[in-house]
């Protein structure tokens, strides 16, 4: 089994680039908070759209870089994958598949459970929700959630996996991905140390799903559902 020891010459610059992009995401988000934008649309909507367009361009650039530098590994994971692949149990973290259960069962279970947890956290940490705004902004919410989940899965999951695959064990790749995802969410939504723990677990789980299914289906779907909840709250809070 490969250890966590990293040889800089063997690893190369690609993981550093990915980590740099990961750190850049919250920096961009908070930089846009300082901008004053005049528009007929609500300022929060414009900032979110600007952020998503900017980060989508960065994610596309990373995809091209990964495809160019690690084509075999990239094409192995940048696809739907086998959604009913075997699950490696991790009982300590609640992953205990019963006989015959696979990622199709575990994936749906975690989609529901994590979405309920996210909804509860957002509900208790968000001011009053304006349901008229929630419905009015729903199409924008869905589009932004789709883009944001794709961008973050590309950078913090696919980028880490492709850049570190066969250099350290899959177990540590998932841990690194989850750790990075958790740390940058200290300044995210939900934020603080609670946000770090929730996002860290989610990042680890989604990286594990990509590694075991050899595809991004479950990672993107689960992440997309969380972003719908979070962005709905951001755009509809009063």
């Amino acid at each position: 089994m490969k250890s966590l020891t990293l040889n800089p010459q063997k690893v190369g610059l690609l993981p550093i680039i990915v980590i740099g992009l990961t750190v850049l995401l919250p920096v961009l988000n908070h930089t846009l908070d300082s901008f004053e934008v005049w528009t007929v649309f609500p300022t929060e909507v414009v900032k979110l759209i600007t952020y998503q367009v900017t980060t989508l361009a960065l994610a596309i650039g990373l995809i091209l870089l990964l495809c160019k530098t690690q084509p075999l590994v990239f094409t192995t994971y940048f696809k739907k994958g086998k959604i009913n692949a075997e699950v490696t149990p991790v009982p300590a973290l609640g992953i205990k598949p019963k006989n015959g259960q696979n990622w199709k069962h575990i994936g749906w279970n975690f989609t529901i459970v994590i979405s309920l947890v996210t909804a509860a956290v957002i509900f208790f940490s968000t001011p009053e929700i304006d349901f008229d705004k929630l419905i009015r902004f729903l199409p924008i919410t869905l589009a932004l959630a789709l883009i944001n989940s794709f961008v973050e899965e590309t950078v913090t999951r696919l980028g880490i996996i492709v850049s570190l695959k066969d250099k350290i064990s899959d177990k540590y790749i998932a841990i690194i991905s989850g750790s990075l995802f958790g740390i940058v969410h200290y300044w995210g939504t939900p934020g603080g140390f609670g946000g770090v723990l929730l996002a860290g677990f989610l990042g680890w789980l989604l990286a594990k799903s990509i590694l075991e299914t050899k595809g991004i289906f479950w990672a993107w779907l689960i992440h997309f559902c969380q972003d719908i909840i979070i962005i709905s709250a951001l755009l509809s809070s009063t």
Side-chain angles (χ1 to χ4, degrees), residues 164-202:
L164 292 179
K165 182 65 179 175
D166 296 326
K167 297 178 177 67
I168 60 175
S169 73
D170 289 356
K171 177 178 70 174
Y172 291 121
I173 291 175
I175 292 173
I176 290 172
S177 177
S179 299
L180 284 171
F181 195 61
I183 290 169
V184 297
H185 272 78
Y186 180 85
W187 300 274
T189 304
F193 290 107
V196 170
L197 293 176
L198 287 172
F201 173 78
L202 179 63

Side-chain angles (χ1 to χ4, degrees), residues 225-237:
C225 291
Q226 311 321 301
D227 281 350
I228 291 175
I229 297 168
I230 294 168
I231 295 174
S232 292
L234 290 174
L235 294 183
S236 61
S237 60

